[in-house]
């Protein structure tokens, strides 16, 4: 049967589940890098097994082997399904064995319907024609089984991120998947969408489906997983029973040392003549629409940020945080009214080029889409926003000077790559984020806007980002930190502003932070 569990007897006559999927001493090499070094891993039927580790630890490489993306013969070691060796020559072989991988980048076609995406490449047919009636009937049944109130005829582009994630899972399960691999499935989900997804995964576990769950959000891991395997530097360090370990212990295994403080904020130190110091960025009564003639999305926003301060921005999805940062940077929106002052000078005609020249820089939320040229080397990306500092007349790049400037940030940010020549798209998420931050810092900014700077990166990389933020404020720069994670906002901010539907729902000084107050403000109401 599909969910058959194979049992053997130990010497103590105690029944033990034979692993559904096993990896034995898997070793994968790339030029100059050992990505996996004799990794061992096993997965039981009806188990959720979390895979944790820093970016670059080997998690993505391991799942690519399991999914057939790196085919048999390109690595050493053995893969076994039901204790039998398997040789996956490609993705289809892995799918035939019942293994499906859902990555952070959805494999969905926006212009096709939900039903068409579910049955992509295997649509029911009547003769030579697609049987549309049967396709929609079967899709409706599958969606209903998952409790999803989604029309099979709805175009994928009309769905939210959480709904798209569930459609991917529905498609995988209709292929009679026995092993479901989820890579950072909640990175872009709201709290409600996360709750729905975790409930569905628990339901699949109860039905016998095995799941490999990869996430940097350890609270989710501990709410969901049965076992946790930690990878570090390409090696499998340990496998722990979830109910016999703790989050600090898992973090210690991931980074190889004790972590005393997850949010090492060094409080802003007041300076002499504090009252005489003006803000580096001042915004008064700002109202912005997507384009001229449209209704506003940001309404009457007023705030300021001072030298050496971290101003946090929170809010629910759609509150307007990213739009605000993009507008201040000059990359989005039509200003209806309001005044912006940057370094004591009016700033009305914003553009990315002018913002950078005047000392305002943005590290974007979507680093892969807007922050990096993925096919270009690390060095190309690092200096991309500060090329005037690397040029000589007549408009020629001084490559030696560019290399030296890049190398300073490459080393100080501890970017893990063979060198500046490494392709940016081939780096781990945490190291890509370091390149984005390095590119921003090479412009020598006075105000640094960080939009979700730690999304999708591991705890070790997060600590490095936090220390970098402390370094920036210690140098007298101002930091605006946008984050969806309340613990991060509360741990790193000197003040927090919560946006609610494009308006300020509340502003709080550091001593006033509580999750209840912040969430109430995000929903546009006062805390009880």
């Amino acid at each position: 049967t599909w969910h058959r569990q194979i049992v053997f007897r130990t010497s103590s006559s105690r029944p033990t589940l034979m692993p559904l999927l096993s990896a034995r001493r898997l070793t994968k090499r790339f030029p100059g890098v050992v990505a996996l070094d004799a990794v061992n891993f096993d997965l039981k039927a009806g188990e959720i097994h979390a895979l944790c580790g820093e970016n670059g630890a080997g998690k993505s490489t391991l799942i690519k082997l399991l999914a057939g993306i790196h085919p048999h013969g390109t690595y050493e070691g053995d893969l076994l399904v039901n204790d039998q060796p398997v040789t996956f020559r490609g993705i289809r072989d892995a799918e035939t064995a019942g293994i499906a991988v859902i990555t952070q980048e959805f494999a969905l076609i926006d212009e096709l319907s939900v039903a068409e995406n579910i049955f992509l490449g295997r649509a029911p047919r009547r003769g030579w024609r697609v049987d549309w009636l049967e396709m929609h009937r079967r899709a409706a049944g599958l969606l209903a089984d998952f409790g999803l109130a989604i029309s099979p005829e709805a175009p994928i582009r009309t769905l939210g991120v959480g709904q798209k994630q569930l459609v991917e899972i529905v498609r995988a399960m209709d292929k009679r998947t026995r092993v479901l691999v989820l890579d950072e499935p909640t990175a872009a989900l709201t709290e409600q969408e996360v709750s729905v997804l975790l409930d569905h995964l628990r339901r699949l576990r109860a039905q016998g489906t095995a799941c490999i769950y990869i996430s940097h959000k350890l609270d989710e891991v501990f709410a969901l997983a049965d076992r946790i395997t930690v990878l570090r530097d390409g090696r499998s360090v340990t496998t722990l029973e979830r109910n016999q370990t703790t989050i600090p212990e898992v973090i210690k295994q991931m980074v190889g040392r004790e972590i005393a403080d997850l949010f090492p904020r060094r409080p802003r130190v007041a300076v002499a003549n504090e009252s005489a110091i003006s803000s580096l960025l001042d915004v008064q009564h700002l109202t912005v629409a997507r384009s001229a003639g449209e209704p506003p999305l940001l309404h009457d926003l007023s705030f300021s940020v001072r030298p050496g301060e971290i101003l946090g921005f929170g809010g629910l999805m759609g509150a307007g945080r990213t739009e605000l940062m993009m507008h201040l940077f000059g990359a989005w929106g039509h200003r209806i009214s309001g005044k912006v002052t940057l370094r004591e000078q009016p700033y009305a005609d914003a553009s990315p080029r002018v913002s950078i020249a005047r000392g305002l820089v943005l590290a974007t939320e979507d680093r892969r889409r807007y922050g990096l040229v993925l096919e270009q080397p690390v060095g190309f990306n690092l200096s991309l926003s500060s090329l005037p500092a690397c040029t000589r007349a007549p408009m020629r790049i001084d490559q030696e000077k560019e290399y030296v400037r890049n190398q300073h940030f490459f080393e100080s940010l501890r970017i893990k790559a063979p060198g500046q020549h490494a392709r940016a798209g081939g780096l781990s998420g945490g190291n890509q984020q370091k390149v984005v931050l390095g590119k921003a810092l090479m412009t020598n900014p006075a105000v640094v806007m960080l939009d979700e700077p730690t999304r999708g990166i591991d705890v070790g990389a997060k600590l490095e980002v936090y220390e970098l933020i402390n370094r920036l404020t210690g140098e007298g720069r101002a930091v605006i930190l946008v984050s969806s994670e309340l613990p991060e906002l509360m741990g790193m901010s000197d003040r927090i502003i919560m946006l609610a539907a494009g308006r300020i729902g509340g502003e709080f000084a550091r001593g006033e932070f509580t999750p209840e107050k912040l969430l109430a403000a995000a929903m546009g109401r006062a805390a009880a």
Side-chain angles (χ1 to χ4, degrees), residues 100-163:
V101 177
I102 298 176
T103 63
Q104 296 180 57
E105 290 81 30
F106 298 131
L108 299 171
I109 300 176
D110 278 349
E111 299 308 315
L112 296 184
S113 70
V114 169
E116 288 172 308
N117 273 278
I118 290 174
F119 292 102
L120 192 63
R122 52 193 187 91
R125 294 183 176 275
R126 180 175 295 176
W128 290 98
R129 298 183 178 182
V130 172
D131 189 338
W132 296 102
L133 201 61
E134 175 65 9
M135 179 190 290
H136 287 123
R137 185 191 67 79
R138 286 172 56 183
L142 290 168
L143 294 167
D145 286 345
F146 272 75
L148 300 180
I150 302 173
S151 169
E153 299 178 11
I156 284 291
R157 58 180 163 75
T158 65
L159 303 186
V161 175
Q163 291 175 313

Side-chain angles (χ1 to χ4, degrees), residues 342-498:
L342 176 61
R343 300 172 87 175
E344 300 184 300
Q345 298 296 320
Y347 191 33
D349 300 320
S351 72
R353 183 186 297 272
V354 176
S355 292
I356 290 170
R358 292 191 55 178
L360 176 67
V361 70
L362 170 66
T364 178
E365 172 188 27
D366 191 342
R367 58 179 173 261
R368 294 182 64 86
R369 185 176 180 185
Y370 298 122
L372 297 169
V373 184
L374 295 172
E375 296 306 315
Q376 291 294 334
V378 169
F380 176 96
N381 280 277
L382 279 171
S383 59
L384 194 56
S385 295
S386 54
L387 284 175
C390 305
T391 57
R392 59 187 178 188
M395 295 303 291
R396 294 177 61 187
I397 296 176
D398 185 333
Q399 293 184 346
E400 183 177 352
K401 184 176 182 181
E402 179 188 27
Y403 179 86
V404 171
R405 292 185 80 247
N406 285 348
Q407 193 64 19
H408 169 74
F409 285 90
F410 185 89
E411 293 175 358
S412 65
L413 292 171
R414 295 196 289 273
I415 297 170
K416 293 180 182 177
Q420 293 187 36
H421 62 277
R423 187 176 65 89
L427 303 186
S428 67
N431 285 295
Q432 287 181 354
Q433 187 68 357
K434 290 179 185 179
V435 176
V436 170
L437 293 173
K439 181 180 69 171
L441 298 182
M442 283 184 69
T443 67
N444 192 30
V447 181
V448 183
M449 299 187 294
L450 304 175
D451 193 356
E452 302 284 5
T454 65
R455 172 172 286 171
I457 66 175
D458 61 78
V459 64
K462 283 183 179 183
L463 286 168
E464 291 182 340
V465 171
Y466 298 149
E467 289 294 355
L468 173 61
I469 292 172
N470 281 330
R471 194 171 85 201
L472 293 174
T473 55
E475 293 169 354
R477 306 177 201 266
V479 172
I480 297 178
L481 173 65
V482 175
S483 178
S484 298
E485 299 185 26
L486 287 184
E488 179 173 84
L489 274 182
M490 295 171 64
M492 292 301 297
S493 302
D494 298 306
R495 286 184 297 131
I496 294 177
I497 292 175
M498 299 300 288

Side-chain angles (χ1 to χ4, degrees), residues 1 7 11 32 54 67 150 177 183 193 199 250 279 303 306 332 347 353 406 438 494 500:
T1 60
V7 176
S11 57
E54 295 188 86
I150 302 173
T177 293
D183 187 5
E193 289 171 330
D199 284 344
V250 171
S279 61
F303 60 90
R306 297 173 292 173
W332 179 89
Y347 191 33
R353 183 186 297 272
N406 285 348
D494 298 306

Side-chain angles (χ1 to χ4, degrees), residues 143-465:
L143 294 167
D145 286 345
F146 272 75
L148 300 180
I150 302 173
S151 169
E153 299 178 11
I156 284 291
R157 58 180 163 75
T158 65
L159 303 186
V161 175
Q163 291 175 313
K164 289 181 179 178
Q165 187 78 260
L166 291 171
V167 168
E168 286 255 39
I169 293 174
V170 168
R171 179 169 68 181
M173 297 314 299
D174 190 57
K175 296 178 180 178
R176 302 185 69 77
T177 293
R178 295 188 292 170
V179 176
L180 184 65
V181 184
L182 294 166
D183 187 5
E184 293 291 347
T186 65
L189 302 190
T190 64
E191 287 190 15
Q192 177 61 31
E193 289 171 330
V194 170
S195 178
V196 171
L197 176 62
L198 298 191
D199 284 344
H200 281 298
L201 294 179
R202 293 185 184 104
R203 179 184 170 192
L204 290 173
R205 171 172 59 189
Q207 295 171 351
T209 300
C211 178
I212 300 174
Y213 192 85
I214 300 171
S215 178
H216 294 305
K217 298 180 180 180
L218 294 182
D219 54 342
E220 289 177 13
V221 167
F222 273 74
L224 188 67
D226 300 297
R227 289 190 296 159
I228 301 167
T229 289
V230 177
L231 298 184
R232 186 171 73 236
D233 298 328
R235 298 182 177 91
S236 44
V237 177
T238 185
T239 295
L240 305 164
E241 296 286 341
R242 187 259 306 159
N243 57 8
Q244 296 177 8
T245 189
T246 63
I247 289 179
E249 174 62 21
V250 171
I251 292 173
K252 177 184 175 181
Q253 295 293 342
M254 287 170 58
V255 301
R257 65 185 189 278
E258 296 279 359
I259 300 297
D261 189 356
L262 288 176
F263 303 104
R265 173 62 181 146
R266 291 194 288 273
R268 180 175 181 268
V269 178
V271 297
N273 301 318
E274 176 84 25
S275 60
I277 297 177
S278 64
S279 61
L280 287 174
L281 177 69
D282 186 74
V283 177
Q284 295 296 324
H285 305 293
L286 182 67
T287 298
V288 182
R290 185 181 303 277
S291 58
E294 293 191 24
L297 292 179
L298 303 176
H299 306 264
D300 195 29
L301 302 181
S302 296
F303 60 90
S304 62
V305 58
R306 297 173 292 173
E309 182 181 36
I310 298 176
L311 175 61
F313 272 89
L316 304 178
M317 188 170 288
R321 298 166 301 172
T322 293
E323 289 81 359
L324 174 59
M325 300 302 114
M326 294 280 280
H327 178 75
L328 293 174
F329 191 54
W332 179 89
H334 168 73
R335 187 176 303 177
I336 296 173
S337 61
K339 179 182 178 182
V340 177
T341 302
L342 176 61
R343 300 172 87 175
E344 300 184 300
Q345 298 296 320
Y347 191 33
D349 300 320
S351 72
R353 183 186 297 272
V354 176
S355 292
I356 290 170
R358 292 191 55 178
L360 176 67
V361 70
L362 170 66
T364 178
E365 172 188 27
D366 191 342
R367 58 179 173 261
R368 294 182 64 86
R369 185 176 180 185
Y370 298 122
L372 297 169
V373 184
L374 295 172
E375 296 306 315
Q376 291 294 334
V378 169
F380 176 96
N381 280 277
L382 279 171
S383 59
L384 194 56
S385 295
S386 54
L387 284 175
C390 305
T391 57
R392 59 187 178 188
M395 295 303 291
R396 294 177 61 187
I397 296 176
D398 185 333
Q399 293 184 346
E400 183 177 352
K401 184 176 182 181
E402 179 188 27
Y403 179 86
V404 171
R405 292 185 80 247
N406 285 348
Q407 193 64 19
H408 169 74
F409 285 90
F410 185 89
E411 293 175 358
S412 65
L413 292 171
R414 295 196 289 273
I415 297 170
K416 293 180 182 177
Q420 293 187 36
H421 62 277
R423 187 176 65 89
L427 303 186
S428 67
N431 285 295
Q432 287 181 354
Q433 187 68 357
K434 290 179 185 179
V435 176
V436 170
L437 293 173
K439 181 180 69 171
L441 298 182
M442 283 184 69
T443 67
N444 192 30
V447 181
V448 183
M449 299 187 294
L450 304 175
D451 193 356
E452 302 284 5
T454 65
R455 172 172 286 171
I457 66 175
D458 61 78
V459 64
K462 283 183 179 183
L463 286 168
E464 291 182 340
V465 171

